[in-house]
Amino acid sequence: GCADAQFRLGMRYVHGEHVQQSWKDAADWHHKAAAQGHTEAHIFLGFYSAEGLGVPQSYEKAFACYCKAAAQGHAEGQYRLAVCFHQGQGVERSFEKSIELFGMAAEQGFAHANFRLGMMYASGCGATQSHERSVEYVLQAANQNHEEAQVRLGVCFSTGQ
């Protein structure tokens, strides 16, 4: 079958568009698309596995799905893989690896990755603490309409930090 069509059908099951909403059916169709190398399908399968939606909950399977998407250079796949490393979900915790992957996603303009990098530099978690680098990344995220980043910047400016 056509991977794009399978992916789109899976999305109809996610949203209940012209079909009964079903996480299991969404996962089934996204699994078919992922088997043909559809990158976004890997990301959705990872999400289903992490949350236990339509499939048994498994951080290890989520990690494997995100690895496949990240290996294809997909920014959201890199971001979600970074979160796995940051939280130690499905893999041994590694702040250094999470910073590397957040950086790869941020380079592609993924706002959530810019924000997470900013927070890691603010706290010194996985990197040398740097107020300047923190503001740089949070500002990039804010400019990409990331709401948390906009709030964070507002707090920084109002408190002079």
Side-chain angles (χ1 to χ4, degrees):
C2 175
D4 284 334
Q6 292 167 334
F7 177 77
R8 286 192 305 272
L9 184 54
M11 292 309 298
R12 288 189 179 265
Y13 280 103
V14 167
H15 299 293
E17 293 176 9
H18 308 291
V19 295
Q20 179 70 37
Q21 196 282 334
S22 168
W23 293 112
K24 183 189 177 319
D25 290 333
D28 288 346
W29 283 108
H30 285 154
H31 180 75
K32 290 175 185 181
Q36 296 182 66
H38 194 285
T39 306
E40 287 183 84
H42 286 296
I43 292 169
F44 275 87
L45 286 174
F47 175 73
Y48 303 148
S49 294
E51 301 297 323
L53 297 171
V55 298
Q57 194 280 330
S58 169
Y59 290 125
E60 291 77 15
K61 286 187 180 179
F63 177 79
C65 290
Y66 298 147
C67 280
K68 290 176 183 175
Q72 294 176 358
H74 195 280
E76 186 174 355
Q78 294 163 341
Y79 171 80
R80 290 186 180 269
L81 191 58
V83 171
C84 289
F85 277 107
H86 190 267
Q87 297 176 347
Q89 293 180 333
V91 65
E92 185 175 333
R93 175 177 269 176
S94 170
F95 294 128
E96 293 77 17
K97 188 69 177 166
S98 69
I99 265 212
E100 175 187 337
L101 287 158
F102 283 138
M104 292 169 70
E107 285 175 14
Q108 295 188 62
F110 199 74
H112 293 298
N114 277 311
F115 180 70
R116 291 292 288 263
L117 278 171
M119 294 298 90
M120 290 180 81
Y121 280 109
S123 67
C125 176
T128 303
Q129 190 172 20
S130 169
H131 179 71
E132 292 79 19
R133 291 199 77 183
S134 173
V135 170
E136 173 189 330
Y137 283 112
V138 173
L139 182 58
Q140 286 179 30
N143 287 334
Q144 295 168 306
N145 296 318
H146 189 282
E147 291 181 18
E148 279 184 87
Q150 292 169 342
V151 169
R152 177 81 175 174
L153 278 180
V155 169
C156 287
F157 290 135
S158 70
T159 61
Q161 296 179 1

